[in-house]
Amino acid sequence: MLCSFCGKREPVFFRRYSGEKLCKPCFLSSIENKVRKTISKYGMFKIDDRIAVAVSGGKDSLSLLNILHKIEKKFPKASLFALTVNEGIANRSEEAVNNVKEACERLNIKYVVASFKEFYGFTMDEIVKKIKDKKGELTPCSYCGVLRRKIVNKVAKELGATKVATAHTLDDEVQTIFLNFIHGDIFRAFRVAPKLENETGMFIQRVKPLCEIPQEEIALYAYFKNIKFQSVECPYAHLALRNNIREFLNRLEYKYPGTKYTIYRSFEKIRPLLKTSVKTELKKCEICGEPSSKPICESCNMIRKLLNQKFL
Ligand code: SF4
Ligand code: ZN
Ligand code: ZN
């Protein structure tokens, strides 16, 4: 049996949803080509964009950095840099930051590291200690996600970025669609998009070049490319509902290959309808000046709560 692409080498990967059997070089180029196609399909970049790549130090974001670096070399007017947020999780964040530094030095990419501690005065570990005893409190991941997004937007803006590229994969996107449904946040689900429009000009436009690639394939890409990535699992990850959704979707995908793509494509048809039903007017947060639909943004409210100040 030979590779379905080149017909020359032994396959190393069987793509169950398409029936393709791929050798290592054909697998790697299929991933890079798919990212190129996704970028052009959604018009993610302009020729002179300054791209901030949000790199956590995990396999997805380091793979994205490698692929975008390869693509960007062909566009001399474009530039990219890595932006990492150190959440302050013991035994984990340090390894993540080191992996990013190593990768950037090897690829000759500039990088910047911003931390929860500098920005908010708390590490993620300190935040978890504070929220631990509060009943009905949000999960650590809810805090972590909101606080990280704000830092990325703020720092990318300060450094003159015109786009923020994140490493959300097909799996992340489909999981988020389900999470929004489960939380009753159905109208927020329209944000699950390959390119988030920046209609107000207050956010830097976010793009997700890996959004049509399954997580399993990105993990294999990182492995074949010898990318050194985060080995320590986050101690708070098990508290997230997302984990159960991930397992459920993986079981479905195993039984019915292609399910994740089917859900994603169905949602692409629903998204425009959701979007027309949501009219959120963004203003500037009264505390930090960042965009918010309420007078005080979500992250400032979280910090006030941690400081036991009045929750607005
Ligand atoms: Fe943050 Fe949750 Fe990810 Fe841990 S698993 S880094 S708490 S979002
Ligand atoms: Zn081949
Ligand atoms: Zn704010």
Side-chain angles (χ1 to χ4, degrees), residues 98-109:
N98 285 338
N99 285 344
V100 177
K101 285 183 181 169
E102 248 182 74
C104 289
E105 277 158 16
R106 188 170 43 82
L107 298 169
N108 199 17
I109 294 175

Side-chain angles (χ1 to χ4, degrees), residues 87 89 92-93 116 124 128 139-145 148 233-238 240 243:
E87 296 98 353
I89 300 172
R92 182 182 147 89
S93 298
F116 272 29
M124 197 54 210
V128 174
T139 61
C141 294
S142 311
Y143 276 88
C144 193
R148 192 181 329 110
E233 206 187 316
C234 177
Y236 312 122
H238 68 284
N243 276 323

